Amino acid sequence: MKLSAFSAFLQKTFALWVVFFAVLALGFPEAFVWLKSYIAIMLGIIMFGMGMTMTPADFKSVAQQPKAVLIGVLAQFIIMPALAYILCQLLRLPTEIAIGVILVGCCPGGTASNVITYMAKGNTALSIACTSVSTLLAPILTPFIFYLLASQWIEINATSMLVSILQVVLIPIFLGLVTRALFKQKVERSIQMMPIISVVAIVLIVAAIIAASKAAIFQSGLLVLAVVILHNALGYLLGFCAAHCFKLNYADCKAVAIEVGMQNSGLGVALATVHFAASPLTALPSAIFSLWHNISGPALASYWAAKAEKPTKHE
């Protein structure tokens, strides 16, 4: 099997691998729990790969459709944090879980959203532009919004969180951009490896947190899963509605919906691991979000892709 074909296979079956290793981690936690110490490094590798795959065309699309990108980014940093806060208040979630839900809600869009948008026959260029911009804004907006919403539950050092996001997100992306600029030909050959590395890293991050949170999952797992499903589904719905209200076309609406509904939950896990190490339950919403949105995303994409193909069948 060619590398490109293997990469495509892994991306298409991403959700299955996440579920498989999550179940494996529950059954044999000792095999994965040691990976928890390397979560920030694995996320940094994912972000480095993202930087290597960025091209001037990604930033051109921001200039070409600034209204759509602005709507996507604003929806990302308004809808998901607001939903997280409302769900925590309505459901009266325990403190550790509430902090974790708000933390994942304040994270930027996930890189998997670009693949899901492509599968859904949405505007992939818009999705990439929104992910890039929201990720670059994350060092400022994620700690700031998280401080505003979660400081009633726990004392938060927003400056320390900003430094963490710079270390695991912005600096690796910058190094990836520089690497591509300096070693363009060599990088072009190795870029097709990056989706494989990203899939493996995300699967291992989820497995590490599931393994470390085994007791918490059996105690609060169903509650967290219910909150995550609500958060994710409402994110898709309100993201689509926001784009539709501003009269974006259908392909753009799909891209914004997916961008809003899918979070960089790996960042949520890394931040929870570093800043709330004394409360392991705080990382659980991010881990379960990573597990769930890699199931719901492909399912939604399949529905939209099938819907897009229907008119051609009648022709």
Side-chain angles (χ1 to χ4, degrees):
M1 186 185 284
K2 287 184 180 177
L3 193 61
S4 57
F6 180 63
S7 177
F9 168 75
L10 272 187
Q11 290 178 68
K12 280 183 182 177
T13 56
F14 189 16
L16 295 175
W17 292 112
V18 173
V19 172
F20 175 73
F21 275 89
V23 172
L24 211 58
L26 275 177
F28 307 96
E30 64 284 347
F32 298 96
V33 73
W34 61 275
L35 289 166
K36 193 178 173 186
S37 306
Y38 301 95
I39 286 173
I41 294 170
M42 287 189 282
L43 184 63
I45 290 168
I46 295 169
M47 293 297 108
F48 177 76
M50 182 180 173
M52 280 177 63
T53 57
M54 282 182 176
T55 64
D58 298 339
F59 298 99
K60 271 185 196 171
S61 61
V62 177
Q64 287 166 351
Q65 42 187 342
K67 176 188 169 184
V69 175
L70 181 64
I71 291 165
V73 173
L74 285 177
Q76 174 68 53
F77 283 115
I78 293 172
I79 290 173
M80 291 307 273
L83 277 175
Y85 182 79
I86 291 166
L87 287 170
C88 290
Q89 293 289 1
L90 286 177
L91 300 174
R92 300 182 183 276
L93 296 179
T95 298
E96 287 181 312
I97 295 175
I99 292 164
V101 170
I102 291 174
L103 182 59
V104 73
C106 294
C107 287
T111 52
S113 63
N114 309 149
V115 178
I116 299 301
T117 300
Y118 174 76
M119 288 167 58
K121 301 189 185 301
N123 186 340
T124 309
L126 173 59
S127 176
I128 293 169
C130 288
T131 302
S132 302
V133 173
S134 68
T135 302
L136 294 175
L137 291 174
I140 301 296
L141 292 183
T142 295
F144 175 69
I145 299 170
F146 181 65
Y147 179 81
L148 284 180
L149 298 180
S151 55
Q152 64 170 289
W153 278 285
I154 196 168
E155 188 176 334
I156 294 161
N157 188 335
T159 306
S160 174
M161 193 170 283
L162 184 151
V163 171
S164 293
I165 300 173
L166 285 174
Q167 288 173 339
V168 300
V169 175
L170 218 56
I171 291 173
I173 286 176
F174 174 73
L175 291 175
L177 286 166
V178 171
T179 302
R180 181 172 185 138
L182 293 177
F183 309 103
K184 193 170 181 181
Q185 288 184 333
K186 289 181 181 177
V187 166
E188 291 294 339
R189 287 197 295 270
S190 60
I191 271 178
Q192 58 184 329
M193 277 293 295
M194 294 318 297
I196 298 171
I197 293 169
S198 293
V199 167
V200 171
I202 292 170
V203 166
L204 291 179
I205 287 171
V206 173
I209 291 301
I210 295 292
S213 312
K214 182 177 177 178
I217 288 169
F218 286 117
Q219 184 184 347
S220 309
L222 284 177
L223 172 64
V224 176
L225 179 61
V227 174
V228 162
I229 290 173
L230 271 174
H231 195 189
N232 176 237
L234 289 170
Y236 290 140
L237 177 64
L238 294 181
F240 188 92
C241 290
H244 184 69
C245 284
F246 285 97
K247 303 190 183 327
L248 297 188
N249 64 45
Y250 192 45
D252 289 356
C253 288
K254 288 191 280 187
V256 172
I258 292 165
E259 193 63 30
V260 172
M262 298 187 74
Q263 297 295 87
N264 187 340
S265 43
L267 176 60
V269 168
L271 292 174
T273 304
V274 172
H275 297 278
F276 305 105
S279 308
L281 201 55
T282 304
L284 192 58
S286 291
I288 291 181
F289 203 108
S290 186
L291 180 67
W292 175 252
H293 80 179
N294 284 308
I295 297 169
S296 67
L300 182 61
S302 298
Y303 165 75
W304 267 329
K307 194 177 176 185
E309 286 167 10
K310 272 183 185 177
T312 59
K313 289 179 182 177
H314 296 296
E315 288 172 6

